[in-house]
Amino acid sequence: MGVGFVVGVFGVLILAHAAYSTIQYRSLLKIMQEEFSGPPFHVAIELILGLVLSMWAALTVPGKFHSINPEAEENRIVSLPANQDFMIFNHRGRLFPKQTDLKLKH
């Protein structure tokens, strides 16, 4: 387990605690017969901290981004699976004009 994974778990735990605190706060307000106008300030800070930690972990744990090589063989249409039962060519798109060099009239 890397540091990013541990930070992500910690961020999710903070978010869960903020949710639990909000539910507990709302039940306290119901007992006191007051209106709920929003979570307390410390819960809002927990939400922001949990969101930042979870987002950081989500961006760092999977790894580095790789560029897509357009000339790679994996990107060709020939690499489609042999089962092409779901390729439908008889659809509403046939009503559109087939000319691609249409010019707009001003």
Side-chain angles (χ1 to χ4, degrees), residues 11-88:
V12 169
L13 288 175
I14 289 175
L15 287 174
H17 183 266
Y20 179 75
S21 296
T22 304
I23 292 169
Q24 197 174 24
Y25 177 71
R26 286 190 71 170
S27 65
L28 179 68
L29 288 178
K30 282 183 182 178
I31 291 172
M32 295 171 42
Q33 296 179 349
E34 293 181 17
E35 180 109 6
F36 179 75
S37 61
F41 182 71
H42 66 87
V43 174
I45 296 298
E46 278 186 42
L47 286 171
I48 292 170
L49 180 66
L51 177 70
V52 167
L53 291 177
S54 298
M55 284 179 54
W56 181 79
L59 291 174
T60 58
V61 168
K64 294 185 177 183
F65 291 111
H66 297 286
S67 61
I68 298 173
N69 186 6
E71 287 83 25
E73 283 297 319
E74 297 90 31
N75 296 335
R76 302 285 176 239
I77 196 162
V78 202
S79 66
L80 286 174
N83 185 5
Q84 297 179 355
D85 291 337
F86 296 106
M87 294 182 85
I88 300 171

